[in-house]
């Protein structure tokens, strides 16, 4: 199968959609990104890469980082982690407070903001302090992408903290239910920092290969998690990776995936490849509009869905 030719076809087909939707403007540092950009990349288990458009341009990975922090927390705590964060779709927007109140401060899953904040808190506790937790997260991202130059955009992190009232509210509410161990500002600041990592579509498609290969990087042979944990993470990506549009993404695309408000989406084809698409303009649920369509076209044209 000529994957490069398929990506080129997809790029042509989604071009009319570019600019439809809206960039995330609640993070001022992201509001200025040109909405018409598009990049898509595929990395096979043997490291072969394909890419179109701006697949080499770094963007703000935002909630895609939640896959990496969930991986580290599951490795550190095992099933104990689920005492503090569930694994059910929320059916609510990514930053909703309502459900959290009536479910006593236990977030539905690690991919909504509240769940990811609990996961970050658990990593700070496990690694002893926020600095070591963040260094460990960055070290992990650099390992799985095999790219030592991956860093955080401090301007995006600062901009989020300045406007982070809702995420701070989520963290305070959970603290009132004893589900945050550390100081609220430290936890939320660390969460914003890992959301502010910048990576390209090609780097991210490489980074998720461990999830396409049962927890072991197929190129370096480094084992990060067990096959069972990898299966679980893929399952949570499938059911919860796109906020209140998770069912729709499973319906149209049929792959485990995770989106971020920077316009990136990663997807995993188990046993075959990692994929990442990036286009900053978002649909109403906060997922990349052209990116979602591109992934739907990819699974339709290749037949590579899990169903
Ligand atoms: N840092 C973003 C926030 O907490 C992440 C949201 C997202 O990518 O969906 O609002």
């Amino acid at each position: 199968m000529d994957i490069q030719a398929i990506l080129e076809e997809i790029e042509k087909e989604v071009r009319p959609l570019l600019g439809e939707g809206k960039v995330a403007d609640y993070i001022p540092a992201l509001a200025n990104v040109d909405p018409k950009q598009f990049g898509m990349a595929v990395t096979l288990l043997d490291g072969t890469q394909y890419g179109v458009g701006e697949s080499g341009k770094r963007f703000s990975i935002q909630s895609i980082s939640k896959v990496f922090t969930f991986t580290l927390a599951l490795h550190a705590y095992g099933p104990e982690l689920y005492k503090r964060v569930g694994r059910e779709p929320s059916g609510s927007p990514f930053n909703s407070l309502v459900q959290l109140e009536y479910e006593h401060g236990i977030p539905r899953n690690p991919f909504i903001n509240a769940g990811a904040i609990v996961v970050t808190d658990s990593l700070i506790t496990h690694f002893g302090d926020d600095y070591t937790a963040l260094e460990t997260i960055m070290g992990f991202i650099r390992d799985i992408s095999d790219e030592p130059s991956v860093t955080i955009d401090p301007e995006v992190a600062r901009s989020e903290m300045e406007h982070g009232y809702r995420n701070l509210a989520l963290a305070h509410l959970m603290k009132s239910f004893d589900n945050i161990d550390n100081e609220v500002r430290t936890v939320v600041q660390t969460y914003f920092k890992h959301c502010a990592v910048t990576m390209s579509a090609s780097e991210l498609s490489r980074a998720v290969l461990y999830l396409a290969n049962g927890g072991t990087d197929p190129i370096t042979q480094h084992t990060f998690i067990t096959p069972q944990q990898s299966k679980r993470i893929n399952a949570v990506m499938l059911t919860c990776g796109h906020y209140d549009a998770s069912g729709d993404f499973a319906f149209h695309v049929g792959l485990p995936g995770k989106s971020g408000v920077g316009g990136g989406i990663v997807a995993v084809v188990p046993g075959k490849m990692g994929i990442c698409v990036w286009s900053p303009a978002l649909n109403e649920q906060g997922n990349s509009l052209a990116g979602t369509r591109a992934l739907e076209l990819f699974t339709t044209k290749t037949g590579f869905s899990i169903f």
Side-chain angles (χ1 to χ4, degrees):
M1 186 180 301
D2 188 345
I3 293 180
Q4 183 61 34
I6 292 175
L7 292 182
E8 283 164 19
E9 259 176 58
I10 294 171
E11 190 191 14
K12 272 201 204 93
E13 287 175 46
V14 299
R15 197 165 293 147
L17 294 178
L18 300 183
E20 262 184 52
K22 270 181 63 195
V23 297
D25 54 4
Y26 74 98
I27 305 172
L30 292 183
N32 303 324
V33 176
D34 172 8
K36 292 201 167 158
Q37 303 180 87
F38 177 85
M40 186 165 185
V42 167
T43 306
L44 305 185
L45 293 197
D46 67 2
T48 310
Q49 286 203 323
Y50 305 94
V52 287
E54 276 142 313
S55 59
K57 182 165 176 185
R58 287 187 173 166
F59 59 88
S60 194
I61 73 170
Q62 291 297 318
S63 284
I64 296 173
S65 64
K66 295 172 183 172
V67 176
F68 308 140
T69 50
F70 179 38
T71 301
L72 289 171
L74 203 53
H75 181 67
Y77 291 94
E80 279 286 295
L81 184 67
Y82 299 119
K83 291 190 177 149
R84 300 185 56 189
V85 55
R87 46 184 193 240
E88 284 291 338
S90 67
S92 305
F94 66 101
N95 55 7
S96 168
L97 278 148
V98 179
Q99 200 168 45
L100 203 53
E101 163 74 5
Y102 64 75
E103 295 187 355
H104 313 292
I106 308 290
R108 277 285 175 103
N109 68 67
F111 293 156
I112 50 172
N113 287 9
I117 291 169
V118 166
V119 165
T120 303
D121 179 58
S122 80
L123 292 175
I124 295 174
T125 302
H126 183 79
F127 292 110
D129 60 73
D130 54 317
Y131 177 81
T132 315
L134 192 64
E135 282 299 296
T136 308
I137 296 166
M138 292 309 294
F140 176 63
I141 295 177
R142 289 174 187 136
D143 274 356
I144 56 176
S145 59
D146 206 11
E147 189 45 76
S149 71
V150 173
T151 48
I152 293 166
D153 181 339
E155 173 56 22
V156 172
R158 201 190 45 76
S159 168
E160 275 215 75
M161 195 66 192
E162 263 174 23
H163 299 83
Y165 307 112
R166 186 169 273 267
N167 284 313
L168 285 161
L170 289 168
H172 278 291
L173 183 59
M174 293 191 289
K175 183 110 181 152
S176 79
F177 285 107
D178 279 335
N179 199 16
I180 293 287
D181 296 335
N182 299 284
E183 209 255 313
V184 162
R185 285 192 80 80
T186 307
V187 176
V188 174
Q189 181 91 68
T190 308
Y191 162 78
F192 285 147
K193 285 183 182 165
H194 71 65
C195 286
V197 166
T198 62
M199 290 172 82
S200 68
S202 86
E203 288 164 348
L204 277 165
S205 68
R206 162 70 181 88
V208 295
L209 283 188
Y210 73 102
L211 292 171
N213 191 49
T216 296
D217 187 308
I219 299 167
T220 63
Q221 296 303 323
H222 189 107
T223 296
F224 295 107
I225 42 169
T226 65
Q228 201 196 33
Q229 288 171 329
S230 172
K231 181 175 95 176
R232 307 280 188 241
I233 294 168
N234 278 305
V236 180
M237 284 169 75
L238 180 78
T239 54
C240 311
H242 287 76
Y243 315 118
D244 42 343
S246 297
D248 206 53
F249 186 83
F251 182 84
H252 287 291
V253 178
L255 288 175
K258 180 74 200 88
S259 68
V261 291
I265 306 177
V266 292
V268 173
V269 184
K272 285 198 167 59
M273 63 183 71
I275 311 173
C276 180
V277 61
W278 171 59
S279 189
L282 310 176
N283 63 19
E284 269 172 20
Q285 288 89 11
N287 302 307
S288 171
L289 191 144
T292 306
R293 178 71 187 140
L295 286 168
E296 180 181 1
L297 287 167
F298 185 82
T299 54
T300 305
K301 287 174 192 287
T302 58
F304 292 155
S305 99
I306 60 167
F307 301 112

